[in-house]
Amino acid sequence: MPKIKVYFSDGSTEIFHEEQSFVSISFIEENNSDDLFASKGKIYGLYSHIDAGLLPSFLELLANSKYFSDVENENIVFSSSAITKIERL
C-alpha cells in the first residue's frame, strides 16, 4: 500500500496511506459581518498515481485546504501551511 511521510514545522511527522480520506476545513463569512466561521468542506481521498504515488492527490488536498483532518479521526486538525516536506515511502 503506497504511503507518504509528512513533516511539519513543529518537528512532528505523520504517515498517510492510500485510500485514506480527509475533510478540508474552510472559512465562511457570515452575511453582513466580518466574522469568519469554520466549516467542513470537500472530502479528498488519497489515491496512487502511476508515476508519482500519493503526491498529486495529497497536493490537491493541500491546495484546496487551509486546514484538514482525517475523516476517521477529526480530533486532530492539521495546518496545510505547517507542512515542510513530503516523502514518498
Side-chain angles (χ1 to χ4, degrees):
M1 174 179 291
K3 297 178 182 178
I4 55 174
K5 186 174 187 177
V6 178
Y7 296 79
F8 294 89
S9 58
D10 68 353
S12 65
T13 61
E14 290 285 333
I15 304 289
F16 298 132
H17 58 82
E18 185 177 27
E19 297 183 7
Q20 192 168 0
S21 295
F22 298 92
V23 62
S24 70
I25 299 169
S26 55
F27 298 93
I28 57 173
E29 213 175 281
E30 187 177 28
N31 291 342
N32 302 322
S33 172
D34 290 335
D35 294 334
L36 296 175
F37 297 92
S39 175
K40 290 182 184 179
K42 185 176 175 183
I43 296 199
Y44 294 87
L46 296 186
Y47 58 87
S48 187
H49 181 274
I50 193 164
D51 294 322
L54 301 179
L55 292 177
S57 62
F58 189 70
L59 291 173
E60 179 184 0
L61 166 68
L62 297 182
N64 291 289
S65 306
K66 199 167 206 167
Y67 296 91
F68 63 94
S69 64
D70 186 327
V71 169
E72 302 277 325
N73 179 12
E74 293 186 29
N75 293 326
I76 299 173
V77 175
F78 300 97
S79 171
S80 296
S81 65
I83 294 173
T84 58
K85 182 168 81 171
I86 306 166
E87 178 182 0
R88 285 176 57 184
L89 299 179

